[in-house]
Amino acid sequence: MKFGVVVFPGSNCDHDCYYVLNDVMKVKTDYIWHKQNEISGYDCIVLPGGFSYGDYLRTGAIARFSPVMKSLIEYAEKGGLVIGICNGFQILLESGLLPGAMLKNESLSFVCRDVRLNVENSMIPFTSRCKKGEILEIPVAHGEGNYYADERTIRMLEDGGRVVFRYCGKDGKASKEANPNGSINDIAGICNEKGNVLGMMPHPERCSEKILGSADGTKIFNSIISHLTR
């Protein structure tokens, strides 16, 4: 089993993802430079958080043209597992692997805090070790995490079970206070129709050891590993 972590100019969570996968989860992990075209041989590829290309123009808008993205789209279309975290989620939206767009936070301020997520779909490789309705506590850190899509797309996502994570309070219910960015329908993470591509704004790699206050992030990575080893 081998994971790959894509590194764009401006990525800053690549080392965190590598550390958690390689040293905490004990799975072979490589860095993949964004100019690399050859990505065969990987079982799961991570697009990490950060500020790719300085977020100039629009978050993820320039990174989508990196050479690795053509290979990544082909990889995903063949069923390869891809998880985009924060800026990685924004890049997946810009590349068309996931629908919708990311707007500035409703508060127009950068938000960095722990949030609670209701697991809405536990049937995909990224959440197979979670239970539907389980609440995870995972941090966010972003200025543009306000997920938006038109009414037809939102209905498609909701009806198709493609809203994977939704911001919620302690009681598991969505509320304005629990939503850190104004995301439509309190959406924190979505997947593609096949379920092999996941985008999420919260950072599971930042809470994968108990010493950090929460190890809920391991449930995401353990789900992927469990799916790949079964």
Side-chain angles (χ1 to χ4, degrees), residues 34 36 38 57 73 92 94 105 136 157 159 194 201:
H34 74 111
Q36 187 173 325
E38 176 55 55
L57 184 60
I73 291 171
L92 290 176
E94 289 290 337
N105 293 346
L136 306 181
L157 292 172
D159 292 348
K194 294 179 181 176
M201 286 311 294

Side-chain angles (χ1 to χ4, degrees), residues 169-191:
K170 286 183 179 179
D171 57 1
K173 296 180 180 177
S175 68
K176 186 173 179 61
E177 293 72 26
N179 184 334
N181 48 43
S183 176
I184 191 168
N185 282 20
D186 304 288
I187 289 172
I190 61 172
C191 66

Side-chain angles (χ1 to χ4, degrees), residues 160-177:
R162 292 168 57 184
V163 176
V164 181
F165 301 115
R166 204 183 306 272
Y167 299 113
C168 69
K170 286 183 179 179
D171 57 1
K173 296 180 180 177
S175 68
K176 186 173 179 61
E177 293 72 26

Side-chain angles (χ1 to χ4, degrees), residues 113-115 137-141 201-204 206-207:
R113 65 177 173 91
D114 290 340
V115 298
E137 190 165 339
I138 295 180
V140 294
M201 286 311 294
H203 287 263
R206 295 188 183 180
C207 58

Side-chain angles (χ1 to χ4, degrees), residues 23-42:
D23 298 311
V24 178
M25 309 307 297
K26 306 295 184 185
V27 292
K28 171 69 176 171
T29 306
D30 292 337
Y31 289 115
I32 300 173
W33 183 234
H34 74 111
K35 289 189 175 181
Q36 187 173 325
N37 290 312
E38 176 55 55
I39 58 171
S40 61
Y42 291 103

